Amino acid sequence: FLPMSTELTNVAGDPSAIQGGTPPGEPSTLSETSLNSSAVNIVSLPGQGDVPSTPSSPLYVTECANTYSVLMFCLSSSWTALFAYFVYDNDDKVYKFWSLTIYPMCALAMSMSFVLKPKRTDRAYKAFLVLQYVLFSFVAEIFIVIGDGFDTRQTVESCLRSLLWLGLLVVCMKFRSYVAHLPDEALSKFLTQDVVKGGVFIGLGQLTFLMFASIQC
């Protein structure tokens, strides 16, 4: 048997190369099989050799930040605020000028709000979208009727436009559902290229027009 002070100096090598061990030609107490298996265990230790790395999956944008939602809500609500001011001041010239000036920006903000977070299907967020749309459309129509002194013709026109607003709400919700089912890559491209960048460029153009129109006014 091996003495207690015996050390293995070459475990993965030749089984007979043992310092202070069994002389050559005599059977060893440690078999070649056990030594080979020890060598395998040593080689397979963590950190030994090159381990193939798994490629990371690409990242896609599936929704915009909450900042965009708040900004679009404020812009679309400014349309309703204009009609509320019309009820208070009742100045037709100011009302008509600003309604034609800021309407494209407010309508763009309302349209973008439906696709900023298309995968949000919880009831709270849907209620937020419907509330924003109601303020933009139906509440504004109510202010128009009040500002015109409940004129019969204006009341009928507002009721007809309200039906149109209701139909557009159904269409917008269906389009939002369609966008939510796009593949992640297509959805990411749509949000980053069409919604964010396109919306920013169009919004800047409308702001430029609004600035020059205010100066002329």
Side-chain angles (χ1 to χ4, degrees):
F1 295 95
L2 291 176
M4 296 299 296
S5 61
T6 302
E7 296 180 359
L8 301 180
T9 58
N10 189 10
V11 177
D14 187 4
S16 62
I18 303 175
Q19 183 179 358
T22 307
E26 296 183 8
S28 174
T29 56
L30 296 177
S31 63
E32 183 177 356
T33 304
S34 63
L35 290 173
N36 288 339
S37 58
S38 299
V40 172
N41 292 334
I42 293 174
V43 172
S44 61
L45 287 176
Q48 302 292 330
D50 296 332
V51 179
S53 59
T54 304
S56 58
S57 58
L59 300 177
Y60 296 114
V61 177
T62 57
E63 66 177 33
C64 298
N66 293 330
T67 306
Y68 288 98
S69 298
V70 175
L71 179 61
M72 296 303 107
F73 180 84
C74 294
L75 287 176
S76 62
S77 299
S78 63
W79 175 251
T80 307
L82 173 65
F83 290 107
Y85 178 78
F86 170 64
V87 173
Y88 170 77
D89 187 65
N90 203 12
D91 189 349
D92 287 341
K93 293 183 179 180
V94 176
Y95 152 71
K96 290 180 180 179
F97 172 78
W98 284 107
S99 62
L100 294 175
T101 304
I102 70 172
Y103 178 75
M105 185 186 305
C106 297
L108 175 66
M110 187 66 249
S111 302
M112 290 177 60
S113 298
F114 281 100
V115 293
L116 290 178
K117 299 178 182 291
K119 290 186 177 294
R120 286 284 300 273
T121 58
D122 53 289
R123 298 178 62 181
Y125 187 77
K126 286 186 175 180
F128 171 77
L129 283 179
V130 173
L131 173 63
Q132 181 179 355
Y133 188 82
V134 167
L135 290 175
F136 174 76
S137 56
F138 300 107
V139 176
E141 295 293 342
I142 294 174
F143 282 139
I144 292 175
V145 174
I146 298 174
D148 284 336
F150 295 94
D151 181 69
T152 304
R153 179 180 177 181
Q154 187 61 252
T155 303
V156 173
E157 290 179 358
S158 295
C159 291
L160 294 177
R161 284 195 299 266
S162 298
L163 295 177
L164 177 62
W165 290 123
L166 184 61
L168 287 176
L169 176 61
V170 176
V171 173
C172 290
M173 294 301 289
K174 288 186 177 181
F175 179 73
R176 181 176 183 272
S177 178
Y178 167 77
V179 173
H181 288 84
L182 290 175
D184 290 342
E185 184 177 0
L187 177 60
S188 178
K189 184 178 180 181
F190 173 74
L191 290 177
T192 55
Q193 300 294 329
D194 299 335
V195 176
V196 176
K197 290 184 179 180
V200 167
F201 287 135
I202 296 175
L204 289 176
Q206 293 176 354
L207 285 175
T208 304
F209 172 77
L210 178 61
M211 180 181 65
F212 284 106
S214 302
I215 294 174
Q216 293 178 359
C217 180

